Amino acid sequence: MRGFSFAHISVLALAINLAACGDSESTSAAAPSIVPVATTVTAGPATPAADVQAVSREQVINHYAEIAHATFADALTTAQSLQQAVKAFLATPSSDTQQAAKEAWLAARVPYMQSEVFRFGNALVDEWEGQVNAWPLDEGLIDYVDGDYQYALGNDGATANIIASQSIQIGEEKIDVSELTAELLAGLNELGGSEANVATGYHAIEFLLWGQDLNGTQPGAGERSYTDYLTDEHCTGGNCERRGQYLKVVTDLLVDDLTAMTAQWAADNTENYRAELQADSAEQGLRKAFFGMGSLSLGELAGERMKVALEASSTEDEHDCFSDNTHNSHFYNAKGVRNVYLGEYKKVDGSVLTGPSIAQLVNAGDAGADQLLQEKLATTEKSLQVMVDAAENGMAFDQMIDPENAEGQQIVRDAIAALVEQTTAIEHAALALGITELNPDTADHAF
């Protein structure tokens, strides 16, 4: 749940400053092997199908909305699979059912992370996101934590432990938490004005499935035992039945939230956000698309999700910190940017959605700008594939940011550099369509 001040700086200058860390070579890359979703990547500068046909800006924005709908629909169906896996786990807690729920969570992250490219240009999505994917979180708000747990100073909610409590005290306010409902838990997000108080969403579920990662920058993820959910004398951690209730409520809420957002992008509805987007000018729609691509690339992914953790060597600022899935989250964030530009999205069922693309418009206006951006998209994917490969070979993101790990830190720096150069190319592509002063969000980071 990161806040943005919309401070603007020259992205071109940033790219020049980082050029020594980047790699502009364009090559093919294989997608990370995340279970159970298989993806085949073709990374290289090639304008998508139907490039010989002229397309209108209106057609491109209609297809942009179609990709958004397909991506959120996949996020919904995979969240529903997670919901069923959690239900089975709670019905019969075991190492096997817990592992199945973890794998369902990992699979659910694949389409959701690709959806984040629709955030920044579309206020409806950005305002909704906090309840769904807020991070980093003070997990002591939710459940028990280790004795040396480090949390945000001055945050009364950081040690509230909702699961172990019937009421919690925040300043002078006493809050009844005896009945765990979606409304109650959603209302506790940003409790006491602290963004670290996160009670719902993917990361709350992640923490409840994996538990704290107490390994710092050493190998290993969270190791919560399934016995934390046993409701007999073998219960560990205390309050096992209530912990199960919490997990069920936040998983159900995630499905409800994704149901609502998917509906906002559905076709043939004159009263949803998609209709509003399509009723506006195509130029405004393109500006939103470009701003989303640039802001996710720069301020969010390069800045908040990589640079902050790297500079502070902070595992608390790692995105999927409990599961050590951060490398895949970063990869699929970048994939979302590529999807929007090329007008392509590979669904979880393996089919590929294609249609009129921004790339086609840019190519018609300035073929050089199109080629440059496609090269930079491929370079970014290559850099993030290096991160994925390193993680799958035993060097997770939290190990990469260890100040003693020069190789790992360079992997992260190279990815940041590639994203900065990609953002410059996004601005150039926007200029080819007459979109000036794009000013992608930097989240106040100087690269």
Side-chain angles (χ1 to χ4, degrees):
M1 191 182 301
R2 300 288 196 172
F4 298 111
S5 68
F6 292 88
H8 302 131
I9 60 177
S10 170
V11 180
L12 181 58
L14 300 182
I16 293 170
N17 290 338
L18 272 176
C21 301
D23 183 351
S24 61
E25 182 182 0
S26 174
T27 66
S28 295
S33 55
I34 182 167
V35 177
V37 179
T39 305
T40 302
V41 178
T42 303
T47 302
D51 59 339
V52 296
Q53 297 179 349
V55 297
S56 71
R57 296 185 176 206
E58 288 76 16
Q59 288 174 318
V60 169
I61 292 306
N62 288 346
H63 187 61
Y64 168 80
E66 191 63 25
I67 291 178
H69 180 257
T71 309
F72 282 114
D74 275 353
L76 172 58
T77 57
T78 53
Q80 289 169 332
S81 295
L82 170 62
Q83 184 181 43
Q84 292 305 309
V86 164
K87 182 179 179 180
F89 169 50
L90 296 178
T92 311
S94 70
S95 58
D96 288 344
T97 55
Q98 182 185 29
Q99 183 61 31
K102 288 179 176 181
E103 290 178 1
W105 186 90
L106 293 171
R109 295 296 280 167
V110 173
Y112 176 76
M113 296 312 294
Q114 293 176 78
S115 81
E116 289 205 297
V117 69
F118 299 102
R119 277 181 56 189
F120 303 97
N122 302 289
L124 176 86
V125 181
D126 209 29
E127 292 165 1
W128 165 90
E129 182 269 348
Q131 186 165 296
V132 173
N133 193 49
W135 70 286
L137 56 85
D138 275 337
E139 54 264 42
L141 171 71
I142 297 173
D143 200 1
Y144 73 87
V145 290
D146 189 65
D148 64 355
Y149 170 56
Q150 301 295 311
Y151 57 88
L153 296 178
N155 179 15
D156 292 339
T159 56
N161 195 346
I162 296 167
I163 286 172
S165 307
Q166 295 297 300
S167 64
I168 57 176
Q169 190 79 34
I170 305 297
E172 297 182 356
E173 183 181 9
K174 187 174 184 179
I175 303 171
D176 181 359
V177 295
S178 56
E179 184 180 359
L180 298 176
T181 65
E183 182 179 9
L184 169 71
L185 297 181
L188 296 179
N189 287 324
E190 298 195 31
L191 183 65
S194 173
E195 289 189 348
N197 287 331
V198 177
T200 66
Y202 284 101
H203 297 297
I205 297 168
E206 180 192 11
F207 169 56
L208 289 166
L209 288 174
W210 271 270
Q212 284 182 286
D213 181 351
L214 301 174
N215 301 290
T217 56
Q218 299 304 305
E223 298 179 354
R224 186 189 292 276
S225 172
Y226 75 88
T227 57
D228 275 7
Y229 291 90
L230 294 175
T231 55
D232 56 19
E233 67 274 15
H234 300 294
C235 162
T236 55
N239 309 289
C240 287
E241 183 175 358
R242 189 166 160 88
R243 184 173 297 108
Q245 292 171 353
Y246 196 115
L247 177 56
K248 181 182 184 303
V249 169
V250 291
T251 306
D252 291 348
L253 177 59
L254 177 66
V255 170
D256 289 345
D257 285 337
L258 288 165
T259 299
M261 184 52 68
T262 302
Q264 289 289 345
W265 291 93
D268 302 323
N269 183 335
T270 59
E271 298 182 356
N272 64 0
Y273 179 74
R274 177 172 178 161
E276 177 184 327
L277 176 71
Q278 292 174 329
D280 203 350
S281 69
E283 286 71 21
Q284 182 64 14
L286 286 168
R287 176 173 286 277
K288 288 180 176 182
F290 274 112
F291 186 74
M293 289 189 291
S295 298
L296 177 58
S297 297
L298 190 64
E300 184 69 11
L301 185 50
E304 296 293 273
R305 301 193 180 182
M306 291 194 207
K307 186 169 181 286
V308 170
L310 177 66
E311 290 188 344
S313 298
S314 171
T315 57
E316 285 297 314
D317 287 298
E318 180 190 4
H319 195 218
D320 292 2
C321 65
F322 308 114
S323 61
D324 275 355
N325 182 58
T326 302
H327 53 285
N328 281 320
S329 279
H330 292 347
F331 182 94
Y332 284 107
N333 258 173
K335 174 67 74 176
V337 176
R338 195 169 188 273
N339 293 345
V340 165
Y341 185 67
L342 297 182
E344 297 177 349
Y345 171 62
K346 185 169 185 178
K347 301 180 184 180
V348 295
D349 66 6
S351 63
V352 179
L353 175 65
T354 62
S357 69
I358 298 174
Q360 288 173 261
L361 290 177
V362 174
N363 185 268
D366 184 341
D370 173 48
Q371 181 179 358
L372 175 66
L373 179 49
Q374 294 207 39
E375 288 175 351
K376 296 306 180 183
L377 289 167
T379 298
T380 294
E381 190 160 80
K382 175 188 173 184
S383 296
L384 288 171
Q385 186 66 53
V386 171
M387 183 179 291
V388 168
D389 291 344
E392 291 186 344
N393 284 291
M395 189 198 299
F397 185 85
D398 52 11
Q399 296 169 256
M400 294 178 199
I401 61 174
D402 185 333
E404 302 300 318
N405 186 353
E407 178 188 358
Q409 289 215 342
Q410 192 60 49
I411 290 172
V412 180
R413 289 193 185 98
D414 287 347
I416 292 171
L419 285 160
V420 171
E421 292 189 5
Q422 173 176 295
T423 309
T424 304
I426 289 170
E427 287 191 303
H428 289 166
L431 283 171
L433 298 185
I435 299 172
T436 60
E437 298 181 357
L438 186 66
N439 294 326
D441 195 350
T442 69
D444 283 339
H445 290 292
F447 293 86

